[in-house]
Amino acid sequence: MTQAPLLRQITDYANRADPYPLYAELRRTPVLQEEDGGPFVISTYWDIQSLLHDPRISSDASNLTAQGDELTEQEEAAALPPSFLRLDPPEHDRLRRMTNRPFGPPHSPRRVHDMRGELAGIVSGLIAGFGDTDRIDVVDQFSYPFPVTVICRLLGVPREDEARFHSWADTIAAGLDPVPGDDPTERNRVTHEARMQLGMYLAGLVEERRKTPGDDMLSELVTSHGPDGPMTTMEVLSTAALLLIAGHETTVNLITNGMLTLLRHPEVLQRLRDDPRLAVNIVEELLRYEPPVQLVPQRTCIADIEVRGVTIPKGSSIWLVLAAGNRDPERFKDPERFDPDRQDIQHLGFGSGIHSCFGAPLARLEAQLALTELARRLDNPRLVEDPPPYRQNAVLRGPRHLNITFDGLRPQ
């Protein structure tokens, strides 16, 4: 593989439908760098796993300024501060602990579990909304509205405001895509403008919750005074923005990638229809086989690091290609095969280390319920086109539309 077009190949839309041959080629040279001094690309499982746990790898956005992400003073003042996803310890740890208090163990151990009935009701309602048609777009009619509805209820964001934050969320998600050749200054400006607009919207909700708290997470973030003290208003806003966007963007792709994979493996779809307990294994194998997050591009070395005999200098940018690691034959037997009976599925689908996916328990439950009910209710579902059209995003990979046809709906 020639070095020069490497990043363009990873981010090229032409590879979106099936990037795995490219990932296999990447693994032949586990540590790659473009000739012009661009980021180092890591694509093997054990190296990615090690680096995700290495304190010499920074997620702090301030370390990326040398890569062309500078803001003007006016833009910096107007933008939301980085979320804990883009911070290092100890600030990352403090904010993540505070966010986790109303969401999961040890303070709220049953938060996600107790949502099961509510989630199942949302799924049933969306399927009922298909009506008498024999053709749907899974994305627009199911896998997008489902997690959006869930995260809105969890946070306390009015569902009817979805049209307002949809475009902001799309712009912010697109800003994660490290497309070579784009004007980084302009893209950065557009992304921060979207973050500012989203922040202003959330600020209105925060003021409402200060006056009249509810039983939602936004109210708890505003009013909580745990051992770490209260969050500042700006910390609440950046955290709420992260949860709102991350709470649905990745799950949309997980559910859509899952349905596409099941339709390509009808024998597994039938097994799920016959035995809903298989959903747990199916979702874990999907997170390995077709992960919604393909790569992590925003990491920086804060010290020299040696990987397989190659020294990555301090200050270098690193891309971790999670999806390539998930199909590494050094780690997984027969990695190109979708196998829900796989016994060892310690995938990188939710990352690893201190930045492992905060919402993983909720995403797992949503995907399990969604795929189980689609398998049970849709009679003889079939793809209209294969491959479907994909989103223009190398980081968050999933179909933009997934049109399917079926013979009817089975009784609820």
Side-chain angles (χ1 to χ4, degrees):
M1 176 184 295
T2 59
Q3 299 285 338
L6 174 62
L7 302 189
R8 288 196 298 274
Q9 290 184 62
I10 295 175
T11 59
D12 188 358
Y13 181 80
N15 291 316
R16 204 73 76 247
D18 185 11
Y20 298 104
L22 172 62
Y23 295 160
E25 188 71 17
L26 288 176
R27 287 192 300 268
R28 292 188 179 185
T29 309
V31 183
L32 282 169
Q33 185 188 29
E34 299 239 52
E35 293 177 350
D36 62 0
F40 286 81
V41 177
I42 313 296
S43 54
T44 52
Y45 180 93
W46 294 115
D47 295 326
I48 294 171
Q49 176 82 336
S50 175
L51 291 171
L52 286 171
H53 289 260
D54 195 323
R56 297 172 296 175
I57 300 295
S58 171
S59 300
D60 194 325
S62 65
N63 290 321
L64 296 176
T65 55
Q67 305 297 322
D69 281 344
E70 297 91 342
L71 294 174
T72 66
E73 290 185 8
Q74 183 178 5
E75 289 172 329
E76 185 70 57
L80 286 176
S83 69
F84 61 78
L85 192 65
R86 299 290 304 277
L87 296 174
D88 296 332
E91 280 302 282
H92 162 274
D93 299 347
R94 177 181 67 87
L95 289 173
R96 182 159 175 147
R97 279 195 306 269
M98 296 170 74
T99 307
N100 201 58
R101 288 180 67 85
F103 184 73
H107 306 288
S108 306
R110 295 181 59 88
R111 186 74 183 244
V112 172
H113 178 272
D114 289 347
M115 294 178 69
R116 178 178 288 271
E118 184 178 12
L119 301 186
I122 297 170
V123 169
S124 296
L126 288 170
I127 293 178
F130 296 165
D132 296 330
T133 185
D134 62 356
R135 174 171 170 159
I136 62 165
D137 179 351
V138 172
V139 175
D140 287 350
Q141 294 173 252
F142 186 82
S143 60
Y144 178 79
F146 175 35
V148 167
T149 300
V150 172
I151 197 62
C152 283
R153 291 190 185 181
L154 185 64
L155 278 176
V157 174
R159 180 65 175 84
E160 58 269 22
D161 287 351
E162 184 273 335
R164 297 181 62 187
F165 63 74
H166 187 175
S167 62
W168 301 327
D170 281 351
T171 299
I172 294 168
L176 298 173
D177 196 17
V179 181
D182 273 12
D183 179 348
T185 302
E186 174 61 16
R187 185 176 59 180
N188 199 50
R189 185 194 66 76
V190 171
T191 301
H192 278 269
E193 173 68 19
R195 283 177 58 82
M196 183 183 70
Q197 294 294 330
L198 179 58
M200 291 172 62
Y201 165 74
L202 291 171
L205 296 182
V206 165
E207 287 309 306
E208 291 178 11
R209 297 307 188 279
R210 288 194 194 281
K211 297 173 183 176
T212 312
D215 60 356
D216 51 78
M217 273 192 70
L218 191 57
S219 294
E220 295 186 56
L221 292 176
V222 170
T223 60
S224 177
H225 292 79
D228 291 295
M231 283 188 181
T232 68
T233 297
M234 294 304 285
E235 288 172 344
V236 170
L237 294 179
S238 64
T239 300
L242 170 66
L243 298 179
L244 182 61
I245 296 171
H248 74 271
E249 285 286 346
T250 53
T251 311
V252 171
N253 288 340
L254 176 57
I255 294 171
T256 308
N257 289 340
M259 194 59 190
L260 174 60
T261 302
L262 289 175
L263 290 170
R264 288 171 170 170
H265 297 81
E267 73 286 355
V268 179
L269 182 66
Q270 183 60 51
R271 287 181 61 192
L272 177 59
R273 182 179 294 125
D274 295 338
D275 183 5
R277 294 173 299 178
L278 189 61
V280 173
N281 282 47
I282 285 176
V283 169
E284 293 310 304
E285 176 68 343
L286 283 169
L287 285 161
R288 183 198 70 83
Y289 184 77
E290 286 280 22
V293 179
Q294 296 276 289
L295 65 108
V296 177
Q298 295 167 329
R299 295 290 187 269
T300 308
C301 293
I302 57 175
D304 289 356
I305 297 177
E306 184 174 312
V307 179
R308 301 210 182 197
V310 176
T311 298
I312 303 177
K314 176 181 177 180
S316 299
S317 177
I318 293 182
W319 288 12
L320 305 175
V321 189
L322 307 181
N326 274 344
R327 295 203 187 189
D328 187 348
E330 291 185 0
R331 175 62 183 83
F332 297 103
K333 182 180 179 181
D334 198 7
E336 301 297 329
R337 183 165 66 94
F338 177 65
D339 180 10
D341 297 314
R342 192 179 296 275
Q343 295 301 303
D344 181 9
I345 323 179
Q346 292 183 346
H347 55 74
L348 300 169
F350 286 132
S352 192
I354 65 170
H355 290 288
S356 60
C357 178
F358 178 86
L362 179 59
R364 282 186 165 105
L365 181 57
E366 288 177 296
Q368 291 164 14
L369 292 173
L371 295 175
T372 298
E373 198 65 1
L374 287 173
R376 189 178 73 84
R377 297 290 306 279
L378 298 180
D379 186 15
N380 190 28
R382 306 173 299 280
L383 289 169
V384 172
E385 57 181 333
D386 191 11
Y390 275 77
R391 299 177 185 273
Q392 186 68 47
N393 196 315
V395 174
L396 303 175
R397 176 176 170 272
R400 175 61 190 88
H401 298 284
L402 185 64
N403 291 305
I404 67 171
T405 185
F406 49 95
D407 295 341
L409 290 178
R410 299 170 186 264
Q412 185 171 347

